Amino acid sequence: MSPRESNDGVGSVLSWLFVAVVVLSAVTVPLATGPAKAAEAHIGISDVTVAPTEPTPGEQTDLEVTIRNGEKSPSVVDVTDVYVRRQGSPTDIARIEDVGTITIGSSISIPVAVSFDEPGSKNLRVVLVGRQNDGSHVRVRYPVTVDVKEVSRPQIELSTEEAVPGATRSVNVTVSNGLTEDIRQLRVVSSSPDVNFGVTERVKPRLKAGNATTFTFPARVDEAGSYPVNVTLQYSNRGEKHELTRTYRPLFSSPTNPGQVILTDVQATQAGGTLEISATAGNVGSDAVEGVVVSVVNSSSVERSNYFIGSIDGSDFSSFTLRTAAQGNVSSVPVEVRYSVGGVEKSVTTSVTVDRQMMRRPVPDSGSGGFPLLPVGGTAAALLVGAAVYRWRS
């Protein structure tokens, strides 16, 4: 290879190197930064502290945001906005404007107040917006998680007892104190637009830690079904008053086979002016019935009469015979049965056909040829006296 050829090769390589340097110098290489720093300036969010560390729903929570402008930053930064958003949401939950200017090498801390309605882990983004001397803007995002804890409160449970519609039943509200200290001045109030409460308020001076107590409210519904019930608990803890409201929709159920009285083997017989009714009152339900009374309904031809049976247990019966006065020929008579099941009065009326028995009168014996039978008493005595006088005269 000649010296000329060698020089041409070196010149070619140098030419290519020069072109590569020119091309690379035209490319802007971004500065590698984390989520808390901007590429344009050395400003960033160095820390965010949460106070309290585990807030409860509705409690104010302060996010202490620390902003720092690095010592080698090219410019002071005028912080125009600091706001907080949930991850993936475009809506602010808190914002502070015109925070101030941060000089090179300095830092500031600002509190941003937030609150949350529901417990749970909240994934947030704290966003910083600033303006440099040349008018350009920088934007910094900083992730933070806030764990919102359910406040420690007494627990409320509600249950209802089974009863026939219209009967008074118990609605039971149980308050459990799971706190480490006693609660005092308990007041429980129940209400509902569809349930008729006989008593709406119960009180208790004290409930010890770890204990439970049940408040009973008498209530009635016209029909079985689910109805809303609002329960409010007011109490005092460490000198502070608290209130807790819950809405339930319990089932006001009816017994599957409530007590029911029917009449069987009914016989009604009229003999002259007396009407006699015999029957069996049977309880075909599984619950006992109380105050069972069988009555003949008063009318122009039948006098009202009652027969008190009393109570009949479930699937049991009681037989009776009832007598009353009647006028004329009675073809049928209404018989009413009244009883109580679960405190609710029931009644049923049945029309019973009456069988009449004819009263036979004594008839003289025409074939005897003698005198007819005379009634005993004064007439018989008179006949004896007459016979004695007749013999004495003869």
Side-chain angles (χ1 to χ4, degrees):
M1 180 182 296
S2 65
R4 180 178 178 84
E5 292 177 346
S6 176
N7 290 337
D8 290 342
V10 172
S12 177
V13 172
L14 291 176
S15 298
W16 280 108
L17 289 175
F18 177 77
V19 172
V21 170
V22 172
V23 172
L24 290 174
S25 64
V27 179
T28 302
V29 180
L31 184 64
T33 60
K37 293 186 178 182
E40 296 84 353
H42 297 173
I43 189 169
I45 299 174
S46 60
D47 190 23
V48 175
T49 60
V50 181
T53 55
E54 293 183 346
T56 58
E59 183 179 11
Q60 177 176 314
T61 305
D62 290 330
L63 304 180
E64 190 78 14
V65 181
T66 302
I67 305 171
R68 180 173 178 78
N69 194 6
E71 295 181 355
K72 296 182 180 182
S73 177
S75 170
V76 297
V77 178
D78 183 16
V79 180
T80 60
D81 299 273
V82 174
Y83 55 88
V84 181
R85 293 179 178 177
R86 288 182 173 88
Q87 182 179 2
S89 172
T91 305
D92 300 345
I93 62 175
R95 176 183 284 266
I96 297 179
E97 298 179 349
D98 300 327
V99 176
T101 301
I102 305 178
T103 60
I104 298 174
S106 64
S107 63
I108 62 172
S109 294
I110 58 170
V112 182
V114 296
S115 64
F116 307 94
D117 296 332
E118 300 293 335
S121 182
K122 313 298 179 182
N123 295 319
L124 309 176
R125 294 292 182 266
V126 179
V127 182
L128 160 69
V129 180
R131 185 174 55 248
Q132 301 182 91
N133 286 338
D134 60 1
S136 61
H137 286 79
V138 292
R139 185 183 301 269
V140 179
R141 295 176 178 85
Y142 190 94
V144 61
T145 300
V146 178
D147 291 323
V148 182
K149 298 297 184 180
E150 178 67 66
V151 64
S152 182
R153 297 176 178 174
Q155 300 298 311
I156 304 175
E157 295 180 358
L158 183 142
S159 64
T160 60
E161 293 183 357
E162 187 180 72
V164 296
T168 299
R169 72 184 75 201
S170 293
V171 174
N172 302 313
V173 177
T174 301
V175 179
S176 302
N177 181 14
L179 306 180
T180 57
E181 61 274 347
D182 299 352
I183 58 176
R184 302 177 183 275
Q185 300 174 354
L186 283 76
R187 178 173 178 262
V188 178
V189 179
S190 61
S191 63
S192 172
D194 302 310
V195 181
N196 183 11
F197 282 99
V199 176
T200 60
E201 178 180 329
R202 299 291 192 189
V203 295
K204 187 178 181 67
R206 178 185 178 188
L207 181 59
K208 293 184 178 180
N211 286 7
T213 186
T214 299
F215 301 90
T216 300
F217 297 86
R220 290 185 296 106
V221 294
D222 295 332
E223 296 181 0
S226 296
Y227 300 100
V229 176
N230 303 314
V231 178
T232 299
L233 168 64
Q234 297 174 345
Y235 65 96
S236 177
N237 181 23
R238 296 181 178 179
E240 295 184 2
K241 293 183 178 180
H242 301 272
E243 182 173 299
L244 179 62
T245 299
R246 294 286 185 269
T247 299
Y248 302 89
R249 196 173 183 87
L251 176 63
F252 290 80
S253 59
S254 176
T256 56
N257 188 25
Q260 181 183 2
V261 178
I262 62 172
L263 295 181
T264 59
D265 301 328
V266 184
Q267 293 182 348
T269 304
Q270 181 184 3
T274 301
L275 178 64
E276 182 178 281
I277 300 174
S278 298
T280 297
N283 181 5
V284 296
S286 58
D287 298 329
V289 294
E290 307 289 339
V292 182
V293 177
V294 181
S295 304
V296 174
V297 180
N298 191 30
S299 66
S300 59
S301 57
V302 179
E303 181 180 347
R304 183 177 182 88
S305 181
N306 300 325
Y307 190 96
F308 180 76
I309 296 177
S311 62
I312 305 177
D313 293 334
S315 303
D316 202 355
F317 64 91
S318 178
S319 299
F320 66 93
T321 298
L322 183 152
R323 295 179 180 85
T324 187
Q327 296 180 357
N329 295 328
V330 180
S331 59
S332 64
V333 61
V335 178
E336 179 189 47
V337 180
R338 290 179 287 115
Y339 59 95
S340 172
V341 53
V344 179
E345 297 290 337
K346 303 283 186 178
S347 67
V348 59
T349 301
T350 304
S351 181
V352 178
T353 302
V354 178
D355 294 331
R356 291 192 300 273
Q357 292 183 353
M358 301 300 296
M359 299 293 294
R360 295 183 178 181
R361 296 180 179 179
V363 178
D365 187 1
S366 57
S368 63
F371 294 99
L373 294 176
L374 296 178
V376 297
T379 304
L383 290 175
L384 290 175
V385 171
V389 171
Y390 174 78
R391 290 190 60 186
W392 177 73
R393 287 183 176 180
S394 60

